[in-house]
């Protein structure tokens, strides 16, 4: 069943689509929700218990803060890539969809890695530690056809030159991280203006480019997002400290064995 303009206005008791802020379409046997491409102002949306399989019509609903999709037909977590641009989305209920799989822990970490701004997932509060763990251990969700890298212009450069161009490599690393956080990609021109000449003269070493990308990304993060990065960094440093301690103890044990 297709969700039509007439049905939306009747349910919301509104005169036009742009004025609809909240909408409840629970159990309406919906399969087609393309109408939401015309509803950028929607804030709270209930679509539970339907037959929805694609979330692409929601990509332009930039005011959306709560989305309820329990018991639908969403096939894979790749569909969540359509929700990455929704920077205000804080509540998501996705349980009882085919995409949830059979491993609840892996599913949750993967969703939170894709949408790290969520504060509640499947009616469970999301913690900062959980987000930090998800960013390190959650599976990376592949972007559906038409991802942001395919939309970036080549500036007239041949593909081979783009592949070996330090600016392009740095830009892709930055935009990959921005995409995971639901942020808009930087254009090539803007990236060039942000990058210092000394950075561009460095050898094209992957770790150097990733560090540059992270430092550029930090400029655009708000306080909440910086707290997430801070927690993830602390956890990562703690792991390194533990690993280093284990290595030192192992060396000490070997020395003791030789001496005896």
């Amino acid at each position: 069943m297709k969700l039509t303009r007439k049905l939306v206005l009747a349910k919301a008791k509104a005169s036009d689509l742009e004025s609809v802020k909240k909408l409840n379409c629970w159990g309406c046997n919906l399969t087609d929700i393309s109408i939401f491409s015309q509803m950028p102002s929607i804030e709270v949306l209930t679509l539970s218990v339907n037959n929805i399989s694609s979330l692409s019509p929601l990509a332009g609903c930039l005011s959306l803060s709560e989305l309820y999709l329990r018991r639908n037909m969403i096939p894979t977590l790749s569909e969540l890539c359509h929700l990455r641009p929704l920077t205000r989305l804080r509540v998501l209920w996705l349980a009882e969809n085919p995409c949830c799989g059979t491993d609840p822990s892996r599913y949750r970490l993967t969703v939170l890695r894709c949408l790290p701004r969520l504060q509640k997932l499947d009616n469970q509060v999301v913690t900062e530690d959980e987000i930090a763990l998800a960013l390190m251990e959650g599976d990376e969700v592949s972007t559906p056809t038409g991802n942001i890298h395919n939309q970036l212009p080549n500036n007239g450069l041949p593909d081979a030159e783009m592949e070996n161009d330090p600016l392009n490599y740095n830009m892709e690393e930055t935009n990959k991280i921005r995409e995971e956080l639901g942020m808009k990609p930087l254009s090539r021109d803007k990236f060039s203006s942000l990058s210092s000449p000394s950075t561009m003269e460095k050898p094209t070493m992957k770790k150097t480019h990733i560090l540059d990308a992270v430092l550029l990304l930090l400029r655009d993060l708000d306080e909440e997002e910086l707290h997430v990065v801070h927690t993830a960094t602390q956890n990562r440093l703690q792991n390194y400290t533990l690993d280093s301690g284990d290595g030192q103890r192992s060396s000490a044990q070997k020395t003791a064995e030789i001496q005896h």
Side-chain angles (χ1 to χ4, degrees):
M1 177 178 174
K2 182 177 182 177
L3 183 60
T4 63
R5 181 177 184 276
K6 182 178 180 180
L7 184 58
V8 168
L9 296 181
K11 282 186 168 293
K13 297 180 181 179
S15 58
D16 59 88
L17 294 177
E18 291 186 0
S19 65
V20 178
K21 306 293 184 183
K22 297 182 179 181
L23 184 65
N24 188 337
C25 292
W26 189 97
C28 293
N29 199 32
L30 298 176
T31 56
D32 185 338
I33 57 171
S34 56
I35 188 69
F36 290 114
S37 62
Q38 305 174 44
M39 299 176 61
S41 300
I42 191 75
E43 297 176 0
V44 179
L45 182 57
T46 300
L47 294 171
S48 298
V49 194
N50 283 288
N51 293 303
I52 298 165
S53 60
S54 175
L55 301 181
S56 59
L58 301 177
C61 300
L62 301 182
S63 298
L64 197 60
S65 61
E66 298 182 24
L67 177 60
Y68 302 92
L69 290 164
R70 185 177 63 88
R71 288 181 60 185
N72 272 279
M73 299 300 294
I74 300 168
T76 70
L77 292 178
S78 294
E79 288 296 320
L80 294 181
C81 292
H82 297 299
L83 304 183
R84 280 175 170 163
L86 312 186
T87 57
R88 298 182 183 180
L89 186 63
R90 294 295 181 266
V91 177
L92 176 65
W93 200 327
L94 191 64
E96 299 178 70
N97 274 274
C99 64
C100 297
T102 57
D103 186 342
S105 177
R106 176 59 53 187
Y107 149 76
R108 189 171 176 87
L109 289 176
T110 299
V111 173
L112 294 178
R113 175 172 177 173
C114 183
L115 303 172
R117 289 187 175 88
L118 289 180
Q119 296 176 352
K120 185 179 285 189
L121 173 61
D122 295 339
N123 208 32
Q124 293 184 22
V125 173
V126 176
T127 66
E128 285 190 5
D129 287 343
E130 198 174 16
I131 291 292
L133 182 64
L135 292 175
M136 291 189 293
E137 298 187 7
D139 294 335
E140 184 174 354
V141 176
S142 58
T143 306
T145 304
N147 62 65
I148 61 170
H149 298 310
N150 292 336
Q151 297 170 6
L152 293 174
N154 282 4
N155 263 17
L157 291 175
D159 291 341
E161 289 185 36
M162 288 296 292
E163 183 177 352
N164 297 318
D165 181 8
L167 172 59
N168 182 62
Y169 186 90
N170 227 356
M171 181 175 68
E172 287 194 1
E173 289 291 340
T174 301
N175 283 334
K176 182 178 179 181
I177 299 171
R178 292 175 71 91
E179 181 187 25
E180 289 188 1
L181 292 175
M183 301 171 67
K184 293 182 178 179
L186 289 175
S187 67
R188 187 179 177 85
D189 291 340
K190 184 175 181 181
F191 187 90
S192 179
S193 65
L194 288 173
S195 301
S196 64
S198 60
T199 299
M200 300 313 301
E201 291 170 2
K202 292 179 181 179
T204 57
M205 298 175 62
K206 186 173 182 180
K207 286 189 176 180
T208 300
H209 287 308
I210 292 176
L211 178 59
D212 291 340
V214 171
L215 293 176
L216 285 170
L217 177 66
L218 289 177
R219 300 183 186 184
D220 290 338
L221 298 183
D222 59 24
E223 183 178 0
E224 177 185 347
E225 294 159 347
L226 286 170
H227 276 301
V228 172
V229 173
H230 178 65
T231 302
T233 303
Q234 284 184 317
N235 289 346
R236 193 68 179 269
L237 286 172
Q238 186 176 10
N239 289 337
Y240 276 124
T241 301
L242 291 174
D243 292 342
S244 176
D246 290 341
Q248 291 176 356
R249 285 194 297 273
S250 178
S251 297
Q253 289 172 354
K254 289 181 179 179
T255 301
E257 290 173 2
I258 293 172
Q259 290 174 345
H260 291 83

